[in-house]
Amino acid sequence: MSQIPHIDDGLPIDWQPQMIALDIDDTLTVHLGSMKERVISAIAEVRAQGIDVVLATGRSFDTTKPVADEAGLDGYVVCSNGAVLGDVAANKIVEAVTFDATPVVEKLTELLPGAVFAVEDSHGVFYTTHLFSTGPLGLQIREVSAEKLTKDPVVRLVMRSDQHTIEAFGEAATQLGYHQVVYGVADVAWMDVGPHEVNKAWMLKEICTRNGIDASRVIAIGDNWNDVPMLTWAGL
């Protein structure tokens, strides 16, 4: 198997991608905004050359599809940080990877008392014990009791807190073991917990398998910690 080329090493002069994977927020779009016309035109030009363009995002399918529609895309999209594979043309979720969030919630409640939890089910619906704005994450959010929150397997767990520091979140993240964890602090501290070893790269590999694309011919573009796995995996 040939070595995957990286930009620091230089690329063969005849190298051409077969697929481009694009993060959405703050990469493809301005913060919580829409795409610029020149971005939409660039995507159309790339696709006209026979190159697949796939959105890979932390958003749910509900909030990813409108961006795909605006970009003129009608194929697969990777949502929920890789736990969900959606089909834009069919307007449906094709595959969802779930896990039992009960032990995670119990552990985080112990480590970070007072935090607010929400989970996303395999249909893209969020459930929470205390309603809050999910922003670009998802359109559907419903308030439920703590007992019902983790009754069924979920594709992700989101935790929010205005009481804890990033150091506290970091310590909690190290104790979650095998789960995929992304966290940060902006206007509110948050943590995004997903299934073991499932990330954007994991689901992009699935798309490559389905479409007969080699990872060495994939370009990935992103701007945040949840993009690191796909940036490491992609040829460029």
Side-chain angles (χ1 to χ4, degrees):
M1 182 176 177
S2 60
Q3 179 69 31
I4 294 177
H6 283 269
I7 194 167
D8 291 341
D9 305 324
L11 293 168
I13 198 165
D14 61 346
W15 189 88
Q16 182 175 348
Q18 294 176 303
M19 184 172 83
I20 300 178
L22 296 170
D23 170 51
I24 294 180
D25 296 293
D26 300 319
T27 298
L28 189 61
T29 67
V30 295
H31 186 61
L32 301 182
S34 58
M35 286 176 288
K36 295 181 179 180
E37 284 298 325
R38 62 186 177 87
V39 174
I40 297 173
S41 297
I43 290 173
E45 290 174 18
V46 166
R47 296 188 72 217
Q49 297 179 48
I51 301 168
D52 287 349
V53 176
V54 176
L55 302 183
T57 177
R59 294 182 179 214
S60 69
F61 181 69
D62 280 351
T63 55
T64 301
K65 187 180 183 301
V67 179
D69 290 339
E70 185 182 4
L73 302 176
D74 55 6
Y76 290 126
V77 287
V78 173
C79 308
S80 307
N81 287 323
V84 169
L85 178 64
D87 183 326
V88 176
N91 191 24
K92 69 177 183 179
I93 291 173
V94 176
E95 185 176 335
V97 184
T98 62
F99 69 102
D100 179 9
T102 304
V104 185
V105 171
E106 291 174 349
K107 186 67 174 178
L108 290 176
T109 299
E110 174 189 331
L111 295 171
L112 301 164
V116 174
F117 297 98
V119 297
E120 180 187 352
D121 71 8
S122 58
H123 305 289
V125 180
F126 281 84
Y127 297 90
T128 181
T129 51
H130 297 84
L131 285 176
F132 61 89
S133 172
T134 55
L137 283 183
L139 296 177
Q140 306 177 68
I141 183 166
R142 301 170 186 171
E143 189 170 5
V144 296
S145 65
E147 293 74 24
K148 291 184 178 180
L149 188 68
T150 58
K151 181 172 65 72
D152 298 313
V154 301
V155 299
R156 86 161 126 206
L157 168 72
V158 177
M159 189 183 75
R160 292 164 53 96
S161 175
D162 55 9
Q163 306 172 35
H164 299 96
T165 65
I166 195 167
E167 288 78 14
F169 268 49
E171 175 60 28
T174 62
Q175 296 197 37
L176 291 183
Y178 61 84
H179 288 281
Q180 179 71 21
V181 181
V182 180
Y183 65 92
V185 176
D187 54 331
V188 65
W190 58 269
M191 181 182 292
D192 197 312
V193 182
H196 176 42
E197 294 185 346
V198 172
N199 50 50
K200 292 183 180 183
W202 191 93
M203 194 59 83
L204 286 168
K205 290 177 189 176
E206 173 65 21
I207 294 176
C208 285
T209 299
R210 290 175 181 232
N211 293 348
I213 294 172
D214 192 280
S216 66
R217 293 298 182 98
V218 177
I219 293 176
I221 305 174
D223 74 311
N224 216 323
W225 292 109
N226 60 334
D227 297 314
V228 171
M230 76 168 180
L231 294 174
T232 304
W233 161 78
L236 176 61

